[in-house]
């Protein structure tokens, strides 16, 4: 039995490379195209007529293998044709050709009924035996020698086509008259590139469920306002996306009229409904234009099995070491549009039904109940707009590949007209470069929270999301999260702080547990054995690290117990030049204070700008003034905070300076009364200006830690003996007055220049 094999591929390259490309198109197995025929049915004549464009006088038993270039085929695909002859080749060779085929063309003679009967009795069963039921090859029935008869064989072939769903089409041709020769190979290519089998069920005369699911996803992505209707703008967007040309207004009306004539609910409010959209594609397939449906499916990332391809979901993205991943501005705008699209009640939160509707384009539900305890929610427990963006930020930071996958399901690259989802990702520069340049452009910072069991780590995370102890008690154990992420503001800039609770086993801390921007060591002040864990973890992992560390004294509303450790927490911090333990509690009536989280973010942003020790309170680094310890009390009125004018203006009007002035003024008056000194009105006015100057100098140089407990207690220049000496105040007043006059003169000059 002679056999003709036609092999398709999408690239002009070697035979082996072609196989690889079609492997992608046909799931995981590449199969060359085969043509199975009988003796004397004109199979070899068909091949030779195609090549020479004339009927051959002499026909060999088997034609040589032929490759048709892509530029001469309608589908722009190279086609490899292999002829098989039973007289020259064995059945084993036939089986090998079948196993490598993409599509099989069975040739019969229209004037030979036995050859038609043999198609169903021998060849189709033989081919099906060599292929899996779920991945059967498409078949093309070719009726040759149509020039010898006046009737058509289609009446005989149609029952066969209905019986075997793997038969794509039937073509009648004539090698002698060159009738339908090129069409034969066009349909062979089309059967590979645009198969009907995955899309349509001939028995049920409707599209298959996987095809319906894929087209439903495409409809929802194209429905930009989520009203369940594709209006003219959305239809034109869909048309441009898939076919690169818009539809004329009359063409749009013609499409809708076709749908109206065939179904009552296909068009609504002059727009196409989902049912109408699916009907159109069913109509395309039934009329043999399934390449239209395949063009749409592949444009939206689907392969021949109607699954999203790996190349679409996971585009190549190289991330250098010590770099992090963040969403860029365009990605946030896209996610904002997705949120607005599904927030139907406009309450800036996604209800469970709205969230479910958002993720209908996903093959699974990506967010579990733990997400509601990872980000901010409203009183009903629904994810807010801020929480929604925070969760996306978290996913991008921790697992960028999953973020790419999620963006692929949402159609980011298609709607935003980008090459891939990788365009939504910003890769930050190496952290060492940030330290060298003493500035960073990152917007997401990670804080690892460590502590013994029961120390209050989970409460510290949930307090960051605005939940007090009463709300935290309502969280189910299986819904708890080890992460919490929200925004903080540092010098007028919005930043994301990601808290990660590390399991309390410091003997087996991994690199991921240690890699962060700032470390929080939490202990329970009411548990005498709680601080010991923090001390051991710090000495083992962070003693020589450049990562900033903060010790949190949690549950500060409880009675403080003496810690069973060689050093008290305060002495331990003094010894290792750390900030004093920060008191914290989430047992409050309102939402817990977020001052500590702002301080943590500031430390993460500017580890290079804070040089704190027990002998020197702080060093201000320019051009960015990192006044970390007073940040919580500064009420900044300028988002710049880089120029000297803004720094002076904010400092002089801060609550911190006012409190220092009040305390020093009170101390001076008390001292004056004790020594019996009475000041005249003009002297009191002079003293007030002097105290203002003293406050300015003291705060900008030393930043007394008695005002803000976050600054270590330093060796003060004003001792108790000095306070008892009246002459000290005279010297300090004169010196402060001089400095104040010079300082205000410079300040006025700077304001004038500005």
């Amino acid at each position: 039995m002679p056999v003709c094999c036609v092999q398709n591929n999408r690239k002009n390259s070697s035979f082996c490379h072609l196989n690889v490309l079609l492997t992608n198109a046909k799931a995981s197995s590449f199969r060359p195209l085969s043509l199975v025929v009988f003796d004397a049915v004109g199979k070899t004549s068909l091949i030779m007529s195609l090549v020479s464009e004339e009927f051959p006088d002499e026909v060999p038993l088997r034609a040589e293998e032929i490759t048709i270039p892509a530029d001469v085929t309608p589908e722009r695909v190279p086609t490899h044709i292999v002829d098989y002859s039973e007289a020259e080749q064995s059945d084993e060779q036939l089986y090998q050709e079948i196993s490598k085929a993409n599509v099989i063309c069975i040739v019969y003679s229209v004037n030979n009924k036995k050859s038609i009967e043999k198609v169903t009795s021998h060849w189709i069963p033989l081919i099906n035996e060599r292929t899996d039921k779920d991945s059967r090859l498409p078949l093309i029935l070719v009726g040759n020698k149509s020039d010898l008869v006046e009737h058509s064989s289609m009446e005989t072939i149609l029952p066969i086509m209905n019986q075997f769903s793997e038969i794509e089409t039937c073509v009648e041709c004539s090698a002698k008259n060159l009738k339908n020769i090129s069409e034969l190979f066009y349909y062979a290519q089309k059967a590979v590139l645009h198969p009907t089998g995955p899309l349509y069920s001939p028995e049920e005369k409707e599209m298959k469920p996987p095809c319906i699911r894929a087209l439903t996803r495409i409809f929802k992505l194209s429905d930009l306002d989520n009203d369940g209707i594709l209006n003219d703008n959305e239809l034109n967007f869909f048309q441009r996306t898939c076919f690169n040309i818009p539809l004329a207004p009359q063409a749009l009306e013609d499409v809708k009229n076709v749908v109206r004539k065939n179904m009552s609910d296909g068009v609504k409010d002059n727009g196409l409904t989902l049912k109408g959209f699916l009907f159109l594609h069913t109509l395309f397939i039934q009329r043999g234009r399934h390449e239209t449906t395949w063009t749409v499916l592949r444009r939206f990332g689907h392969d021949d099995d109607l699954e999203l391809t790996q190349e679409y979901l996971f585009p190549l993205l190289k991330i250098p070491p010590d770099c992090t991943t963040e969403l860029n501005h365009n990605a946030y705008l896209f996610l904002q549009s997705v949120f607005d699209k599904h927030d139907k009640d406009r309450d800036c939160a996604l209800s469970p039904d709205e969230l479910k509707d958002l993720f209908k384009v996903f093959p699974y539900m990506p967010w579990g109940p733990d997400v509601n305890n990872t980000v901010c929610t409203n009183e009903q427990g629904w994810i807010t707009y801020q929480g929604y963006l925070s969760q996306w930020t978290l996913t991008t930071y921790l697992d960028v590949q999953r973020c790419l996958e999620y963006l692929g399901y949402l159609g980011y690259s298609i709607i935003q007209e980008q090459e891939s989802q990788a365009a939504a990702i910003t890769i930050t520069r190496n952290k060492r470069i940030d330290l060298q340049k003493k500035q960073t452009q990152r917007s997401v910072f990670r804080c690892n929270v460590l502590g013994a069991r029961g120390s209050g780590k989970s409460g510290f995370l949930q307090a960051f999301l605005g939940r007090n102890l009463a709300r935290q008690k309502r969280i189910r154990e299986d819904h708890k999260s080890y992460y919490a992420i929200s925004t903080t503001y540092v010098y007028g800039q919005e930043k994301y702080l990601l808290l990660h609770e590390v399991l309390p086993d410091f003997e087996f801390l991994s690199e991921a547990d240690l890699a962060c921007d700032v470390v929080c060591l939490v202990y329970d002040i009411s548990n005498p054995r709680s601080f010991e864990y923090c001390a051991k973890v710090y000495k083992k992992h962070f003693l020589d690290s450049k990562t900033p560390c903060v010790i949190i004294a949690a549950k500060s509303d409880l009675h403080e117990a003496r810690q069973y450790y060689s050093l008290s927490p305060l002495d331990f911090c003094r010894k290792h030049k750390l900030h004093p333990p920060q008191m914290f509690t989430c047992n409050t009536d309102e939402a817990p204070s977020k001052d500590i989280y702002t301080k943590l973010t500031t430390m993460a942003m500017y580890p290079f700008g804070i040089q704190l020790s027990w002998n020197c309170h702080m060093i201000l680094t320019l051009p960015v003034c990192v006044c970390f310890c007073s940040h919580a009390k500064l009420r900044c009125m300028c988002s710049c905070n880089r120029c000297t004018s803004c720094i002076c203006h904010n400092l002089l009007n801060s609550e911190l300076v006012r409190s220092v002035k009040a305390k020093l003024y009170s101390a001076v008056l008390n001292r004056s009364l004790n020594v019996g000194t009475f000041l005249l009105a003009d002297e009191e006015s002079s003293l007030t200006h002097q105290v203002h100057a003293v406050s300015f100098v003291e705060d900008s140089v030393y930043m007394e830690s008695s005002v803000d407990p976050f600054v270590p207690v330093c060796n003060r220049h004003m001792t108790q003996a000095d306070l008892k000496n009246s002459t000290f105040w005279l010297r300090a007043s004169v010196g402060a007055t001089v400095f104040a006059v010079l300082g205000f003169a410079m300040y006025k000059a700077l304001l004038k220049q500005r």
Side-chain angles (χ1 to χ4, degrees):
M1 293 296 174
V3 177
C4 173
C5 300
V6 182
Q7 180 175 357
N8 284 312
N9 206 294
R10 299 181 183 177
K11 282 189 178 180
N12 286 318
S13 58
S14 67
F15 176 75
C16 181
H17 290 155
L18 299 180
N19 288 0
V20 173
L21 197 67
L22 271 184
T23 298
N24 297 333
K26 296 296 293 180
S28 59
S29 60
F30 171 78
R31 306 171 189 271
L33 184 89
S34 296
L35 189 62
V36 183
V37 298
F38 284 93
D39 286 324
V41 295
K43 169 266 310 175
T44 305
S45 300
L46 286 173
I47 300 174
M48 299 185 70
S49 296
L50 173 70
V51 175
S52 62
E53 296 185 352
E54 63 180 6
F55 185 72
D57 295 331
E58 296 182 2
V59 180
L61 291 178
R62 185 170 69 95
E64 297 294 332
E65 296 185 5
I66 298 170
T67 299
I68 303 175
D71 55 359
V72 299
T73 60
E75 293 290 339
R76 313 294 297 176
V77 176
T79 305
H80 188 59
I81 303 173
V82 180
D83 192 6
Y84 174 82
S85 174
E86 187 180 30
E88 295 185 0
Q89 295 173 283
S90 63
D91 290 343
E92 187 60 33
Q93 289 176 307
L94 171 61
Y95 298 148
Q96 291 177 2
E97 297 295 347
I98 292 177
S99 65
K100 296 185 296 182
N102 290 114
V103 61
I104 299 177
C105 299
I106 305 177
V107 182
Y108 64 92
S109 177
V110 295
N111 64 344
N112 188 339
K113 291 185 178 180
K114 290 185 178 179
S115 67
I116 298 176
E117 294 173 358
K118 199 81 173 190
V119 169
T120 57
S121 63
H122 177 71
W123 287 112
I124 293 180
L126 175 64
I127 294 168
N128 289 341
E129 286 178 4
R130 294 289 169 172
T131 56
D132 297 331
K133 184 178 181 180
D134 297 332
S135 59
R136 286 186 172 169
L137 299 176
L139 305 179
I140 306 293
L141 298 184
V142 182
N144 194 19
K145 300 186 179 182
S146 63
D147 58 294
L148 298 181
V149 296
E150 296 181 357
H151 63 274
S152 173
S153 62
M154 286 302 174
E155 293 183 1
T156 308
I157 295 300
L158 283 176
I160 300 176
M161 295 180 65
N162 293 330
Q163 181 182 357
F164 298 96
S165 59
E166 56 267 32
I167 299 177
E168 289 285 327
T169 188
C170 177
V171 182
E172 289 189 346
C173 58
S174 171
K176 185 175 182 180
N177 295 340
L178 305 182
K179 177 185 175 182
N180 289 341
I181 301 297
S182 59
E183 284 78 2
L184 158 64
F185 295 97
Y186 164 72
Y187 284 116
Q189 289 180 333
K190 189 175 177 181
V192 176
L193 301 178
H194 312 300
T196 307
L199 305 180
Y200 189 75
S201 173
E203 296 85 0
E204 300 177 2
K205 296 184 179 180
E206 62 182 22
M207 288 190 296
K208 293 183 177 179
C211 182
I212 294 176
R213 286 195 297 269
L215 290 174
T216 301
R217 167 184 174 266
I218 293 171
F219 178 88
K220 289 188 66 66
L221 294 182
S222 303
D223 184 13
L224 301 179
D225 55 8
N226 198 34
D227 62 351
I229 299 171
L230 294 184
N231 57 39
D232 288 355
N233 291 333
E234 291 166 343
L235 282 172
N236 264 317
F237 167 78
F238 170 80
Q239 179 75 11
R240 288 194 309 270
T241 299
C242 298
F243 306 102
N244 297 321
I245 52 173
L247 281 175
Q250 185 58 46
L252 283 174
E253 288 302 317
D254 292 342
V255 169
K256 287 183 279 189
N257 288 334
V258 170
V259 177
R260 286 191 186 98
K261 291 178 181 179
N262 289 274
M263 58 190 318
S264 58
D265 53 353
V267 177
K268 181 181 178 182
D269 297 334
N270 201 35
L272 204 62
T273 65
L274 175 60
K275 290 184 178 180
F277 183 76
L278 296 177
F279 168 78
L280 275 180
H281 285 281
T282 304
L283 198 62
F284 290 148
I285 297 170
Q286 290 175 343
R287 294 184 177 181
R289 292 178 53 193
H290 36 280
E291 65 272 12
T292 302
T293 301
W294 275 115
T295 301
V296 171
L297 290 168
R298 286 174 178 145
R299 178 64 183 91
F300 280 80
H302 293 272
D303 60 12
D304 285 5
D305 295 322
L306 303 181
E307 300 291 340
L308 292 174
T309 64
Q310 295 296 302
E311 292 79 6
Y312 171 79
L313 290 177
F314 304 103
L316 182 63
L317 183 66
K318 294 183 179 180
I319 305 173
D322 296 328
C323 297
T324 60
T325 49
E326 301 175 1
L327 292 170
N328 58 32
H329 179 66
N330 290 332
Y332 279 117
L333 290 179
F334 170 76
L335 293 173
Q336 178 183 348
S337 68
V338 174
F339 182 93
D340 294 338
K341 175 179 174 179
H342 293 88
D343 183 19
K344 296 181 179 179
D345 52 9
R346 296 293 182 261
D347 61 348
C348 290
L350 293 176
S351 67
D353 290 338
E354 291 171 342
L355 197 64
K356 185 177 179 180
D357 184 54
L358 189 153
F359 290 126
K360 276 185 178 179
V361 295
F362 285 61
Y364 56 88
M365 184 65 178
W367 292 0
D370 60 307
V371 174
N372 295 62
N373 300 315
T374 305
V375 299
C376 295
T377 58
N378 61 11
E379 293 297 328
Q380 297 170 286
W382 300 351
I383 297 176
T384 62
Y385 170 71
Q386 185 58 55
Y388 166 82
L389 293 182
S390 297
Q391 179 62 24
W392 278 100
T393 303
L394 171 73
T395 306
T396 307
Y397 186 91
L398 296 179
D399 191 351
V400 68
Q401 291 298 320
R402 180 165 294 185
C403 177
L404 293 174
E405 178 188 2
Y406 291 173
L407 289 174
Y409 291 137
L410 292 175
Y412 174 84
S413 61
I414 299 166
I415 296 175
Q416 296 295 107
E417 299 180 357
Q418 299 289 340
E419 184 177 350
S420 69
Q421 297 87 265
I425 306 300
T426 295
I427 301 176
T428 64
R429 68 185 178 188
N430 194 299
K431 190 176 179 180
R432 287 176 294 181
I433 300 178
D434 285 348
L435 293 173
Q436 292 172 1
K437 294 183 176 293
K438 296 186 178 181
Q439 61 180 352
T440 181
Q441 296 177 342
R442 295 164 57 197
S443 60
V444 184
F445 300 91
R446 176 169 178 165
C447 172
N448 284 352
V449 182
L450 298 94
R453 296 186 184 277
S455 60
K457 300 187 299 297
S458 299
F460 185 74
L461 265 67
Q462 292 301 312
F464 183 38
L465 305 177
R467 300 178 182 129
N468 57 19
L469 187 61
R471 288 188 62 184
Q472 294 179 27
K473 289 181 178 179
R474 298 198 293 264
I475 300 176
R476 290 174 49 179
E477 188 68 27
D478 56 337
H479 292 175
K480 287 186 176 181
S481 173
Y482 291 106
Y483 291 94
I485 183 171
S486 188
T487 55
T488 60
Y489 287 87
V490 179
Y491 303 110
Q493 302 178 49
E494 184 183 54
K495 302 294 179 182
Y496 283 94
L497 179 63
L498 168 60
L499 301 180
H500 172 44
E501 179 183 345
V502 180
L503 295 178
D505 192 355
F506 67 89
E507 295 291 342
F508 300 99
L509 291 178
S510 64
E511 293 184 3
D513 297 330
L514 303 176
C516 58
D517 301 300
V518 62
V519 175
C520 249
L521 300 173
V522 182
Y523 76 96
D524 179 3
I525 66 170
S526 65
N527 184 353
R529 300 187 181 277
S530 183
F531 179 73
E532 182 180 7
Y533 176 89
C534 297
K536 289 182 178 180
V537 168
Y538 177 81
K539 292 171 69 175
K540 181 173 181 179
H541 298 290
F542 302 106
L543 184 60
D544 299 323
S545 172
K546 295 182 180 180
T547 305
C549 295
V550 178
I551 293 180
I552 304 296
K555 305 180 183 180
S556 60
D557 58 303
L558 302 179
H559 176 71
E560 184 173 4
R562 184 178 181 276
Q563 296 295 319
Y564 294 161
Y565 190 69
S566 57
L567 295 174
S568 68
L570 184 61
D571 292 336
F572 181 87
C573 293
R574 181 182 294 110
K575 177 181 178 181
H576 296 286
K577 300 180 180 179
L578 298 173
H579 305 298
Q582 302 300 292
M583 295 297 176
F584 177 81
T585 180
C586 57
N587 190 11
T588 58
D589 294 333
E590 302 296 331
S593 172
K594 290 191 176 183
D595 287 348
I596 183 61
Y597 305 106
T598 303
K599 295 175 181 179
L600 290 172
T601 310
T602 308
M603 291 184 70
M605 285 182 65
Y606 304 113
F608 40 77
I610 305 172
Q611 305 290 339
L612 291 173
S613 68
W614 289 97
N615 297 321
C616 180
H617 288 249
M618 70 187 331
I619 296 176
L620 302 181
T621 59
L622 296 177
V624 180
C625 174
V626 188
C627 187
F628 172 71
C629 39
S630 65
H631 170 74
K633 293 186 178 181
L634 282 177
R635 306 181 187 277
C636 299
M637 290 163 286
C638 175
S639 60
C640 166
N641 281 293
R642 294 176 179 270
C643 60
T644 307
S645 175
C646 289
I647 295 172
C648 294
H649 192 62
N650 291 339
L651 187 61
L652 288 174
N653 290 278
S654 66
E655 179 185 342
L656 179 64
V657 172
R658 290 198 298 269
S659 62
V660 171
K661 287 191 293 187
K663 289 187 177 181
L664 287 178
Y665 183 68
S666 177
V668 170
L669 290 181
N670 291 337
R671 179 61 183 166
S672 299
L673 291 175
N674 292 336
V675 298
T677 303
F678 298 92
L679 301 176
L680 297 177
D682 57 344
E683 291 174 338
E684 290 177 353
S685 176
S686 175
L687 180 60
T688 302
H689 289 294
Q690 293 168 8
V691 173
H692 278 239
V694 171
S695 303
F696 180 84
V697 174
E698 287 293 324
D699 186 55
S700 60
V701 179
Y702 305 111
M703 198 64 67
E704 277 297 337
S705 61
S706 61
V707 178
D708 192 343
F710 196 76
V711 180
V713 179
C714 296
N715 298 327
R716 300 171 181 171
H717 296 281
M718 290 191 300
T719 63
Q720 295 296 327
D722 289 327
L723 290 174
K724 294 180 180 180
N725 190 349
S726 299
T727 59
F728 166 79
W729 287 108
L730 180 60
R731 294 193 300 269
S733 300
V734 174
T737 302
V738 175
F739 279 109
V741 171
L742 294 175
F744 277 105
M746 293 178 62
Y747 172 65
K748 292 293 185 181
L750 288 171
L751 279 182
K752 186 176 181 181
Q753 292 178 4
R754 186 178 183 186

